[in-house]
Amino acid sequence: MHQFKYQLSLWISFTFTMLLFGSCSGYKMMNGPVFNPGVSLELAELRKQEVSGLKYKLYFKIPEDKNEEVSGKVVVDFMLNRTNADKTNEFAGVLLDCRINKDKIYKVWANGRQVKKWIVNEHIVIPESVVKKGANQITVQFVAEDQSLNRNAEYLYTLLVPDRARTLFPCFDQPNLKAEFSLQLDIPARWTAVSNTAIINEKTTNDRKEIHFAPTEPLSTYLFSFVAGLLNRTEQFQNGQKIAVYHRETDPQKLMQLDTIFHQVFASIKWMEEYTGVPYPFAKYDLIILPGFQYGGMEHTGATLYNDRRMFLDEHPTPDEELGRTLLIAHETAHMWFGDLVTMNWFNDVWTKEVFANYFAARITEPLFPDVNHRLSNLRTFYISSLGEDRTPGTTSIRQPLDNLRNSGLIYGQIIYNKAPIVMEKLVELIGQEAFQSGIQEYLSTYAYGNATWDDLVSILDSKTDADLKQFSDVWVNQKGMPEIDMELKGNRLIVRQRDLLNRGIFWPQRFNVTLCGKKTISREINLTDSILELPLDFYPDYVLPNTDGRGYGRFLLSSEAVQYIVDNWFSEKDEVCRLSLLMTLYENYQSKSLSPSLIANTLLKGLPIESNPIIASALVGYLNSCVNDLNGEPRLFIEQRMYELYQTHKLPSVRLQLLRALMSMVVSPDVIEALYGIWSDGKSELLSERDYMTLSYELAIRMPERSAAILAKQRERITNPDRIREYDYVARALNHDTTRLDNLFESLLIPSNRRIEPWTQTVLYYLNHPTRQDYSVKYIRPALDALRDVQRTGDIFFPRGWVGALLGGYRSMDAYQEVQDFLKDNPQYPPLLKNKILQAAYPLFRCNED
């Protein structure tokens, strides 16, 4: 029935479109995907051939009241590289992308002539009778949609990646049609505005302010941005460059961190300039730090947006958090060269900007933290995260096919952000640092202010090496999944086999070390260039420890002897990289159900009390949290009690804090819950920040129904920052114990306007589906999954994965498993990229309920 209705609606839409074109003079019939909603690959390729010299003049009038409409006007100037008589395609007009309600498109002019408004499948159709070869100008007067304006009571900001510019203004919304943007804003007089370029003119009249910004360098539409509102501003000068930070923070302790933020931004710019040989390529670099921002950061040139929680750290940040902030700043700075200066041609290659941002961020961070083992940090940052997604049935290749930009947000994930830098490390190892740097510099100079593909870069690198980059790229970049690597000892021979778990017959070339243990212990490098390798040895080892230098990527199977050695000895291994790599291998064998959660949890607790490296300790706590969630009864209560004891006694404050945070999210022990209540009630912990206390109050309120109202009221009184009060009130609705109110709250989230602040919405959805509510809240799973397509259509790039993660992350029951399976069974044609997000999020649930 559902499938029939869908097909019927498609037929009606198609028939209407054909009637429309048949009834309008100047239109020619087009039966292809050019007119599909979104921006199809076919439309993008056609326009890339025909449109050049693109410029946008934009005007927005922003009222102070966020409930009033934002009116706008865009003037689009471009060269059209064909004649009206050109027969290379059947449609000879022009399509502007526009996902604005057609009733909000007021007037359209083409070359000075007002034309009848025709909007088809998110496109404004400009007929061939009013466009010409050469210079053209289209003007549209409209009201901007709120979706990408991110409007709050005292500020707003645009976020247009990957294809959201068309929700803000009509445009050619594809990355390879770069343009010059000129912006004029009309805002409340007491507000401040920031955009990609500097202000060149500002005029205040009564209670309004008119601001003109300088034209930009050539930018893709997703990089255009502005912010307006009540903002504080701080600036610093270094090396002849000025950088400003705009923010809404009021906590003096947090504001003291601005000097560190400035230092790291300037250091990142200097490092990138020296490595690439390209001076900072844009007019300015300003930062805007905002509460509730959807991502860690977004690389708009001259107006880079950051999340306040990632930038203004709590009073006692963990080493992970300090490193994380630096990596984030370096990541967004590296994007100025990779993504902004040279942009991918199509979003199937979006990873080419993210891989360089993360790869270079890791290198930029090294001199800023000289006492940190950065090889160890990369293992913790890249490998653990990537393996966490690559082991799921929803894993993807790094480079993914993309038919339409409306689906491009679904390409993002841990594979792009964290597996890609691992692959880049392997590529650099293959061709050498000197050839790689030379290739990068040639790439930037060749494609500056333009667009390039991964194949363009491979072609440049290929000219600088004898290595087979095509075979390397085909496997590591174009194929999904990872190898399963097994090692067998036969006398004095080591046999290494790698197997493709998806049975495609492929193999992954890579190098890593193994440690051979017996009468003597030696390390040997393995160079896997095929599916099997035989290595002769000069002695007879008893067993082998795989990947002891952490360079290898995949699932390394362990023999029973190797398992026993790691369980008994991992914590005494002096080499830090080897220590963490052994634990990662053990944990991946646990994830494949070769080892029990009880064994892993107790193994971790053997070494955690004496672990002195905070990076390794952080990984241990994360692994411990995962294992404990697979335990029940007395074994779980024992582990929780032991974790609480370690919270009290561990010598590293960061480990104590991470243990406490882990307990907040998982605790079932009545004794530990009461102890946590005592910590919260006292409110004087030197470790906990205001935000930690907020989270602790949420968790206690949901576990202590009789004290819930009092806990929430008291915690709210403790908060002083108005933005954090707003966040607290937003989330606290999910902590009510009235099921009718909870049901109403859940229903409200199915309406797009009620989930605009996406990080807060994910928190609400998580608490509605909290592990303590599984029996009741399982009924939310199906309608929340049914809403996922709408969540993708109306939300930003990370929201679909965040939505299903918040929904499913706490479930382990068979009933929940059946709900997900029934949904997948009832939707056999579900979009693959979106289905992958469900399979990734549901992995722990599937793992608990499948053999």
Side-chain angles (χ1 to χ4, degrees):
M1 184 63 179
H2 294 298
Q3 184 66 17
F4 172 76
K5 287 182 177 179
Y6 176 68
Q7 291 172 340
L8 180 61
S9 67
L10 284 179
W11 181 84
I12 292 171
S13 174
F14 175 79
T15 302
F16 173 77
T17 302
M18 293 303 101
L19 287 172
L20 172 67
F21 287 110
S23 64
C24 301
S25 64
Y27 287 80
K28 296 183 180 180
M29 194 80 68
M30 171 64 77
N31 293 330
V34 168
F35 287 95
N36 285 353
V39 181
S40 68
L41 178 59
E42 290 82 357
L43 174 60
E45 290 176 338
L46 176 64
R47 290 195 303 209
K48 179 60 177 175
Q49 296 172 10
E50 297 182 342
V51 174
S52 61
L54 191 55
K55 295 182 179 182
Y56 296 98
K57 295 183 181 70
L58 286 157
Y59 165 86
F60 294 97
K61 184 175 183 179
I62 302 171
E64 189 160 6
D65 184 346
K66 72 172 187 175
N67 296 310
E68 294 182 18
E69 292 180 335
V70 173
S71 59
K73 185 172 79 170
V74 61
V75 179
V76 189
D77 288 290
F78 60 97
M79 300 295 292
L80 191 61
N81 305 319
R82 59 174 163 79
T83 67
N84 290 351
D86 192 340
K87 301 299 183 182
T88 58
N89 63 84
E90 294 185 31
F91 175 67
V94 170
L95 297 184
L96 278 183
D97 308 321
C98 181
R99 213 176 94 188
I100 297 173
N101 188 308
K102 63 181 180 180
D103 295 330
K104 301 297 184 181
I105 304 295
Y106 292 148
K107 293 181 180 179
V108 181
W109 295 267
N111 294 320
R113 173 182 167 188
Q114 187 169 346
V115 297
K116 190 171 183 179
K117 176 181 67 177
W118 291 109
I119 300 176
V120 177
N121 287 343
E122 303 177 356
H123 305 291
I124 296 177
V125 183
I126 308 298
E128 61 181 288
S129 58
V130 294
V131 295
K132 58 188 178 179
K133 183 178 181 180
N136 286 266
Q137 184 180 84
I138 298 172
T139 303
V140 185
Q141 186 179 345
F142 59 92
V143 171
E145 293 282 355
D146 279 350
Q147 175 176 349
S148 298
L149 279 170
N150 299 281
R151 301 180 73 180
N152 295 269
E154 296 181 335
Y155 65 97
L156 62 78
Y157 59 93
T158 65
L159 184 60
L160 307 182
V161 62
D163 67 330
R164 297 295 194 257
R166 61 197 174 95
T167 70
L168 183 63
F169 60 94
C171 58
F172 298 112
D173 201 4
Q174 59 191 74
N176 60 0
L177 284 180
K178 287 191 168 183
E180 175 188 283
F181 292 82
S182 299
L183 174 65
Q184 178 182 343
L185 294 179
D186 184 336
I187 63 175
R190 64 197 190 104
W191 281 21
T192 298
V194 194
S195 189
N196 303 94
T197 52
I199 294 172
I200 56 175
N201 188 28
E202 183 174 318
K203 180 181 178 181
T204 301
T205 305
N206 299 324
D207 61 347
R208 302 293 298 177
K209 183 191 300 183
E210 191 174 278
I211 301 174
H212 295 254
F213 294 88
T216 68
E217 299 84 354
L219 296 180
S220 301
T221 46
Y222 79 90
L223 291 170
F224 169 74
S225 183
F226 63 85
V227 181
L230 297 178
L231 303 169
N232 302 310
R233 183 179 188 275
T234 305
E235 67 180 32
Q236 284 192 12
F237 292 83
Q238 279 191 33
N239 304 321
Q241 185 173 22
K242 178 180 72 175
I243 291 177
V245 174
Y246 297 81
H247 63 86
R248 289 178 53 81
E249 186 55 65
T250 57
D251 185 341
Q253 292 274 11
K254 287 183 166 60
L255 293 175
M256 289 174 62
Q257 300 173 40
L258 284 172
D259 282 345
T260 300
I261 291 170
F262 276 116
H263 170 68
Q264 293 181 353
V265 172
F266 282 116
S268 298
I269 291 173
K270 182 180 179 182
W271 194 98
M272 287 298 300
E273 288 179 332
E274 291 177 351
Y275 186 90
T276 64
V278 178
Y280 179 72
F282 297 99
K284 68 183 180 77
Y285 188 152
D286 289 344
L287 296 72
I288 306 96
I289 303 173
L290 296 168
F293 183 60
Q294 293 92 315
Y295 317 153
M298 178 58 206
E299 66 271 17
H300 307 123
T301 61
T304 300
L305 303 187
Y306 287 95
N307 177 281
D308 65 336
R309 295 178 63 174
R310 295 288 302 275
M311 296 293 275
F312 291 124
L313 304 182
D314 294 328
E315 190 173 350
H316 301 288
T318 66
D320 276 0
E321 290 167 339
E322 291 186 295
L323 274 171
R325 176 174 63 190
T326 308
L327 286 166
L328 173 62
I329 289 171
H331 175 106
E332 302 305 337
T333 306
H335 267 315
M336 300 300 128
W337 285 260
F338 297 95
D340 295 5
L341 176 63
V342 178
T343 309
M344 65 276 161
N345 188 64
W346 185 242
F347 263 88
N348 67 321
D349 269 335
V350 66
W351 74 279
T352 58
K353 73 183 183 76
E354 301 303 339
V355 64
F356 287 119
N358 260 356
Y359 175 78
F360 286 119
R363 298 192 61 183
I364 291 167
T365 302
E366 290 180 11
L368 296 172
F369 288 83
D371 297 330
V372 167
N373 183 332
H374 289 280
R375 176 61 195 152
L376 183 72
S377 177
N378 289 347
L379 269 185
R380 173 75 177 93
T381 302
F382 298 143
Y383 285 71
I384 289 179
S385 297
S386 178
L387 289 168
E389 190 162 295
D390 223 2
R391 75 171 79 97
T392 75
T395 191
T396 67
S397 57
I398 292 175
R399 192 186 200 190
Q400 302 171 54
L402 181 67
D403 63 338
N404 193 303
L405 282 183
R406 69 193 308 202
N407 299 317
S408 51
L410 297 173
I411 287 179
Y412 289 80
Q414 298 301 329
I415 299 301
I416 277 181
Y417 281 99
N418 292 311
K419 184 176 180 179
I422 296 169
V423 173
M424 194 57 63
E425 287 179 348
K426 295 183 181 302
L427 176 65
V428 175
E429 183 180 47
L430 185 65
I431 70 173
Q433 284 283 357
E434 186 176 337
F436 179 72
Q437 184 175 5
S438 173
I440 288 299
Q441 292 179 348
E442 182 178 335
Y443 171 76
L444 290 174
S445 64
T446 301
Y447 297 103
Y449 301 106
N451 301 83
T453 67
W454 167 242
D455 293 335
D456 292 329
L457 176 58
V458 168
S459 177
I460 290 173
L461 295 176
D462 207 32
S463 68
K464 301 177 185 300
T465 180
D466 294 329
D468 187 353
L469 296 190
K470 184 179 185 304
Q471 193 272 339
F472 176 92
S473 179
D474 283 345
V475 173
W476 281 107
V477 175
N478 297 327
Q479 302 294 333
K480 69 179 181 178
M482 59 183 177
E484 182 178 79
I485 300 174
D486 187 21
M487 301 186 185
E488 180 186 6
L489 287 167
K490 283 191 173 182
N492 66 339
R493 289 183 302 140
L494 172 65
I495 303 172
V496 183
R497 299 183 182 89
Q498 60 169 312
R499 183 170 71 90
D500 173 20
L501 294 171
L502 299 176
N503 298 315
R504 294 159 297 181
I506 61 176
F507 61 90
W508 289 258
Q510 59 177 317
R511 297 170 183 249
F512 54 84
N513 283 8
V514 300
T515 300
L516 302 159
C517 305
K519 292 181 181 179
K520 58 181 177 178
T521 300
I522 63 170
S523 178
R524 293 289 297 269
E525 182 181 66
I526 301 299
N527 183 10
L528 268 183
T529 58
D530 207 332
S531 57
I532 188 167
L533 170 70
E534 287 199 27
L535 189 68
L537 307 172
D538 59 3
F539 76 115
Y540 295 84
D542 296 327
Y543 57 92
V544 58
L545 300 175
N547 197 30
T548 46
D549 63 346
R551 282 188 295 161
Y553 183 83
R555 177 186 295 161
F556 291 86
L557 300 183
L558 292 170
S559 67
S560 58
E561 296 88 351
V563 168
Q564 194 60 54
Y565 174 86
I566 296 172
V567 166
D568 292 340
N569 299 286
W570 72 266
F571 44 86
S572 60
E573 171 59 54
K574 294 193 179 343
D575 184 279
E576 293 173 335
V577 169
C578 180
R579 192 156 77 241
L580 181 55
S581 186
L582 290 175
L583 284 170
M584 289 169 56
T585 300
L586 193 72
Y587 184 77
E588 289 305 312
N589 278 256
Y590 153 69
Q591 284 290 332
S592 65
K593 291 190 171 184
S594 300
L595 305 172
S596 72
S598 182
L599 172 68
I600 300 300
N602 284 292
T603 298
L604 297 172
L605 284 172
K606 279 184 183 179
L608 185 55
I610 60 172
E611 181 56 62
S612 59
N613 187 295
I615 295 174
I616 297 176
S618 174
L620 289 177
V621 175
Y623 282 163
L624 192 56
N625 196 349
S626 173
C627 295
V628 174
N629 282 324
D630 286 344
L631 291 171
N632 295 297
E634 287 299 321
R636 175 162 184 159
L637 297 180
F638 170 78
I639 297 294
E640 286 185 4
Q641 186 60 48
R642 186 73 183 103
M643 290 174 67
Y644 185 75
E645 292 169 2
L646 279 175
Y647 147 69
Q648 295 175 302
T649 61
H650 202 284
K651 61 186 178 182
L652 293 179
S654 63
V655 175
R656 295 178 59 204
L657 177 56
Q658 288 165 330
L659 283 165
L660 191 56
R661 287 172 175 170
L663 284 168
M664 289 180 199
S665 67
M666 68 154 76
V667 63
V668 299
S669 165
D671 291 343
V672 178
I673 291 173
E674 197 62 41
L676 294 178
Y677 177 78
I679 293 170
W680 172 82
S681 184
D682 177 65
K684 296 179 181 178
S685 170
E686 293 183 357
L687 286 176
L688 298 186
S689 66
E690 179 182 64
R691 191 164 291 283
D692 286 318
Y693 276 112
M694 289 167 62
T695 301
L696 183 51
S697 73
Y698 300 152
E699 296 289 347
L700 291 171
I702 210 166
R703 289 178 169 87
M704 296 178 152
E706 70 286 353
R707 305 183 200 176
S708 179
I711 290 171
L712 295 174
K714 183 176 179 180
Q715 183 58 43
R716 191 183 190 281
E717 290 176 0
R718 294 173 171 177
I719 305 170
T720 57
N721 181 281
D723 290 325
R724 283 193 282 279
I725 290 174
R726 196 161 56 92
E727 176 185 356
Y728 195 79
D729 290 342
Y730 189 97
V731 173
R733 300 173 300 159
L735 306 171
N736 197 288
H737 292 274
D738 181 335
T739 54
T740 300
R741 293 175 69 178
L742 292 178
D743 290 348
N744 291 338
L745 175 58
F746 173 75
E747 289 293 330
S748 75
L749 298 184
L750 303 181
I751 302 170
S753 60
N754 292 329
R755 51 179 191 248
R756 292 280 187 228
I757 307 179
E758 294 172 358
W760 300 359
T761 298
Q762 288 171 210
T763 305
V764 167
L765 189 61
Y766 168 74
Y767 282 115
L768 285 171
N769 294 273
H770 194 268
T772 61
R773 289 173 163 169
Q774 282 196 33
D775 292 341
Y776 181 80
S777 60
V778 68
K779 69 178 186 177
Y780 297 148
I781 291 178
R782 183 58 184 261
L785 290 177
D786 286 336
L788 186 56
R789 288 197 196 196
D790 190 56
V791 167
Q792 184 230 337
R793 186 183 66 84
T794 60
D796 284 299
I797 56 179
F798 301 118
F799 197 31
R801 178 60 176 86
W803 177 269
V804 289
L807 173 70
L808 301 175
Y811 285 103
R812 297 294 184 272
S813 69
M814 176 57 74
D815 287 343
Y817 171 76
Q818 198 59 53
E819 287 287 323
V820 179
Q821 288 286 41
D822 288 347
F823 173 82
L824 295 174
K825 181 180 178 182
D826 292 343
N827 293 274
Q829 304 302 318
Y830 203 70
L833 291 175
L834 202 53
K835 181 180 178 181
N836 284 337
K837 303 303 179 187
I838 299 173
L839 296 176
Q840 293 162 14
Y843 175 74
L845 176 62
F846 283 17
R847 185 176 167 276
C848 285
N849 291 281
E850 293 179 346
D851 294 331

